[in-house]
């Protein structure tokens, strides 16, 4: 019942995300520093300059939803501001060819800064342009954005901050991302070490997913641009799309190997592999082909991610239907990533407003997943360990059953021979047979005869050392093998059998034939058994209830 409510909650959260209001012109924030600014936009036309936009000669739209305008070159003009000193102009990272930022100062001066690579990318994938301090305050900011794909907007999350605030933001984000990277590395080491011990495939699938997530975090955080300043931001975005698609595909692979096989019976397994293949194919297509038909490529990419998200509640319901023992583990660990992935997809479709925290929600959701999945994987390994222990016990029980005489509990003939033949050094073989056993059965019945055999077997076992082999090798015929240096006295065995109380106080005697010799091969066994059997026959012929020794087998 609890699992059903959790599944319903996930579905409700995803549905609720779709009902959130569409983004306004500049909703959200690029990080948590600086002053948020609203902007008005216009498509760039021939002959227009920054001066003409600042002068109001270019008509701007302050209410249009940006992503409805399509791709192209655009102006974006901020609301009036008044800032002194160096100003850090911050905005979210988007697919664009070039961006130029113009600052209008109170004395009429216009300063432009431009970049088309990732030198100014900050942690959190924030684009920063520095407008220098001037004697007069900054009163307006203008962006000229060329070649923008406008998949989520023309300019998202614009903010104006001080360089000090931007520095502190980088420091905070560095702590978050480095902590996440350290956790990923620890999880990789932990699960690879466990895989070395128990060799279960879901651990390798999980390690592959964490490795892909680590690469995605390195790129999406902006750390890649710090390590490789010359990389174009669009190329970094290609890597983002590719690695996120691979994270999703490896997550499907992990789910496939984490659950029991019965969860994926029938159509479920082909459907999962089809979704994983679509994720890989669409992410590769975007990375290699964009900006060619970039809108179509991104829509196909988002559809494959949507298929993955939709498949999760279907998978959970199917796991619940077949009674999976691992359902609650998966729900606990993957609830947050599924919900936030749904919100990000809704944002990409224009259903949810953009924000810095939504844009980075994958890392925070996967942090929660990693912490919880550590417990889930540990519990899964405990179950596997229990299953292996149970299987080992069952195997031992089956082996014991196959080697044991079901009536007496002694070794059967096959097990006795497999253990006796091949021993080194001389061995003592005793062959004992209950006297007049047919008469016993006729007197007290076959059930009584079976009980006599059980009592006789217990007496034999109790009269010999613990390491001696004792077996029932025929109807009422028993055999004992022990090394000659730890041999037993056959007369003592016979005395113990005489003293044993039998059912109905019946008087039961036995005869024993003894012989010593090697048991290194089957031929040795046949020689030794033949001489001991001949001695047993002599004991029977001479009146029974006695021991006779055969010649040593050569």
């Amino acid at each position: 019942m609890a699992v059903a409510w959790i599944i319903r909650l996930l579905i409700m959260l995803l549905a609720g995300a779709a009902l959130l209001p569409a983004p306004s012109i500049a909703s959200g924030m690029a990080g948590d520093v600086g002053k948020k600014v609203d902007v008005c936009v216009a498509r760039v036309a021939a002959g227009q300059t920054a001066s003409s936009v600042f002068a109001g000669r270019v008509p701007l739209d302050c209410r249009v939803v940006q992503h409805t305008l399509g791709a192209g070159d655009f102006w974006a003009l901020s609301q009036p501001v008044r800032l002194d000193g160096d100003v850090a102009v911050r905005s979210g990272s988007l697919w664009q060819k070039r961006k130029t930022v113009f600052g209008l100062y109170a004395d009429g001066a216009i300063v432009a800064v431009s970049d088309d690579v990732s030198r100014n990318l900050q942690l959190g994938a924030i684009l920063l342009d520095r407008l220098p301090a001037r004697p007069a305050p900054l009163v307006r900011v203008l962006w000229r954005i060329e070649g923008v794909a406008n998949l989520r907007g023309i300019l998202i999350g614009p903010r104006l901050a001080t360089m000090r605030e931007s520095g502190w933001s980088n420091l905070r984000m560095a702590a978050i991302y480095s902590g996440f990277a350290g956790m990923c590395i620890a999880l990789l080491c932990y699960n690879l070490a466990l895989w070395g011990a128990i060799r279960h495939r879901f651990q390798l699938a999980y390690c592959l997913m964490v490795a892909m997530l680590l690469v995605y975090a390195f790129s999406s955080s902006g750390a890649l641009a710090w390590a490789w300043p010359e990389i174009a931001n669009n190329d970094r975005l290609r890597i983002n799309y590719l690695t996120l698609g691979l994270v999703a595909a490896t997550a499907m692979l992990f789910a496939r190997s984490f659950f029991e096989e019965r969860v994926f019976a029938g159509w479920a397994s082909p459907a999962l592999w089809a979704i994983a293949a679509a994720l890989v194919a669409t992410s590769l297509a975007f990375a290699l082909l964009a900006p060619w038909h970039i809108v179509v490529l991104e829509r196909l990419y988002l559809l494959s991610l949507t298929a993955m998200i939709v498949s999760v509640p279907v998978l959970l319901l199917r796991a619940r239907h077949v009674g999976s023992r691992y359902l609650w583990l998966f729900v606990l660990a993957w609830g947050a990533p599924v919900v936030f992935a749904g919100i990000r997809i809704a944002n990409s479709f224009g259903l949810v407003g953009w924000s810095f925290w939504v844009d980075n929600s994958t890392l925070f959701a996967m942090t929660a997943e990693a912490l919880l999945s550590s417990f889930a994987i540990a519990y899964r390994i405990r179950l596997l360990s229990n299953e292996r222990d149970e299987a080992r016990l069952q195997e031992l029980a089956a082996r014991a059953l196959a080697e044991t005489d079901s009536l007496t509990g002694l070794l059967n003939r096959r097990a006795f021979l497999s253990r006796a033949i091949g021993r080194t050094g001389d061995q003592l073989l005793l062959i004992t047979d209950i006297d007049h056993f047919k008469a016993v059965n006729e007197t007290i019945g076959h059930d009584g005869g079976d009980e006599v055999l059980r009592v006789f077997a217990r007496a034999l076992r109790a009269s010999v050392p613990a390491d001696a082999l004792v077996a029932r090798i025929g109807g009422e015929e028993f055999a004992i093998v022990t090394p000659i240096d730890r041999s037993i006295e056959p007369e003592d065995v016979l005395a113990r059998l005489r003293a044993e109380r039998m059912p109905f106080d019946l008087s039961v005697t036995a005869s024993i034939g003894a012989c010593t010799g090697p048991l290194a091969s089957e031929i040795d066994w046949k020689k030794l058994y033949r001489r001991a059997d001949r001695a047993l026959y002599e004991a029977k012929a001479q009146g029974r209830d006695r021991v006779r020794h055969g010649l040593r087998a050569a």
Side-chain angles (χ1 to χ4, degrees), residues 23 50 104 115 138 183 283 371 389 402 413 499 531:
L104 175 64
D115 72 87
L138 178 71
M183 182 189 65
S283 58
L371 294 174
D389 290 344
R413 183 182 183 89
R531 293 174 184 267

Side-chain angles (χ1 to χ4, degrees), residues 408-428:
T408 64
L410 300 179
L411 293 175
N412 58 30
R413 183 182 183 89
R414 181 183 60 81
F416 173 75
L417 293 179
S418 68
R419 297 188 187 187
I421 296 174
R423 288 189 163 203
T424 59
D426 283 351
Q427 306 289 318
L428 169 65

Side-chain angles (χ1 to χ4, degrees), residues 53-398:
V53 177
F54 281 129
R57 294 194 295 273
V58 175
L60 300 167
D61 193 332
C62 300
R63 301 183 62 83
V64 66
V65 177
Q66 292 181 11
H67 71 82
T68 62
L69 297 177
D73 301 341
F74 292 89
W75 298 105
L77 180 64
S78 76
Q79 66 194 59
V81 298
R82 192 172 187 86
L83 296 171
D84 294 310
D86 290 344
V87 176
V89 182
R90 298 164 61 90
S91 61
S93 172
L94 291 172
W95 185 282
Q96 58 196 22
K97 185 177 180 180
R98 186 185 304 272
K99 174 172 62 68
T100 305
V101 177
F102 301 89
L104 175 64
Y105 293 83
D107 59 3
I110 297 176
V111 175
V113 291
S114 176
D115 72 87
D116 57 355
V117 292
S118 300
R119 291 184 181 278
N120 296 328
L121 193 70
Q122 307 300 292
L123 291 180
I126 301 301
L127 295 173
L128 182 145
D129 295 281
R130 175 178 172 272
L131 290 174
R134 289 181 54 82
L138 178 71
V139 295
R140 215 79 183 262
V141 179
L142 174 68
W143 291 263
R144 180 187 170 104
I145 307 167
E146 302 173 36
V148 63
N150 203 1
L151 300 174
R152 291 184 291 164
I154 297 167
L155 183 70
I156 56 174
R159 282 184 166 258
L160 303 179
T162 65
M163 295 302 295
R164 180 180 176 84
E165 288 174 328
S166 291
W168 276 109
S169 176
N170 278 335
L171 188 61
R172 287 193 294 269
M173 295 310 300
I176 292 173
Y177 287 124
S178 59
F180 179 80
M183 182 189 65
C184 287
I185 293 171
L187 283 173
L188 282 172
C189 296
Y190 167 70
N191 283 282
L192 284 174
L194 286 176
W195 178 80
I198 66 173
R199 302 277 176 169
H200 202 283
R201 61 180 180 174
F202 79 84
Q203 294 170 290
L204 286 183
Y206 187 77
C207 288
L208 183 60
M209 183 192 70
V210 172
M212 290 295 100
L213 190 62
L214 191 58
V215 177
Y216 171 73
F218 183 64
S219 174
S220 65
S221 66
L224 175 62
W226 287 27
W228 186 8
E230 296 301 324
I231 187 174
N233 190 53
N234 286 352
D235 291 338
R236 185 190 64 85
L237 290 175
R238 295 177 198 272
I239 297 173
N240 284 2
Y241 276 86
L242 178 60
T243 52
L244 184 58
L246 293 177
V247 167
T250 51
M252 300 290 283
L253 177 62
F254 170 67
R256 177 67 181 83
S257 58
F258 187 79
F259 283 107
E260 302 94 334
E261 284 295 325
R262 65 180 183 273
V263 176
F264 297 94
W267 56 266
S269 185
L272 182 141
W273 287 117
I275 293 172
L279 286 165
V280 174
T282 55
S283 58
L284 274 173
F286 189 96
L288 296 175
L289 301 178
W292 177 78
H293 291 296
I294 190 170
V295 175
V296 175
L297 291 174
E298 197 206 32
R299 286 297 180 263
L300 291 174
Y301 178 79
L302 292 175
L303 287 174
S304 64
L305 286 173
T306 303
M308 185 201 73
I309 295 300
V310 171
S311 72
V312 171
V314 175
L315 173 64
L316 297 180
L317 290 172
R318 188 176 176 89
R320 179 174 178 268
H321 177 71
V322 301
S324 170
R325 292 185 297 170
Y326 313 132
L327 174 58
W328 72 270
L329 300 174
F330 196 85
V331 172
L332 179 67
W334 286 86
V338 168
V339 170
F340 280 103
I343 293 174
R344 285 200 64 182
I345 293 171
N347 164 249
S348 298
F349 278 115
L351 302 174
V352 177
W354 181 91
S355 79
F356 171 81
W357 299 111
V358 167
D359 206 39
N360 287 271
S361 62
T362 299
L363 299 184
F364 303 116
M366 291 305 294
T367 298
E369 183 279 331
L371 294 174
L372 293 172
S373 68
S374 296
F375 294 101
I377 290 176
Y379 181 73
R380 176 78 161 85
I381 292 171
R382 179 188 173 189
L383 293 179
L384 284 173
S385 178
N386 291 341
E387 289 172 1
R388 290 189 178 185
D389 290 344
E390 184 179 349
R392 188 177 293 111
L393 289 175
Q394 290 176 351
E395 180 184 357
L396 292 174

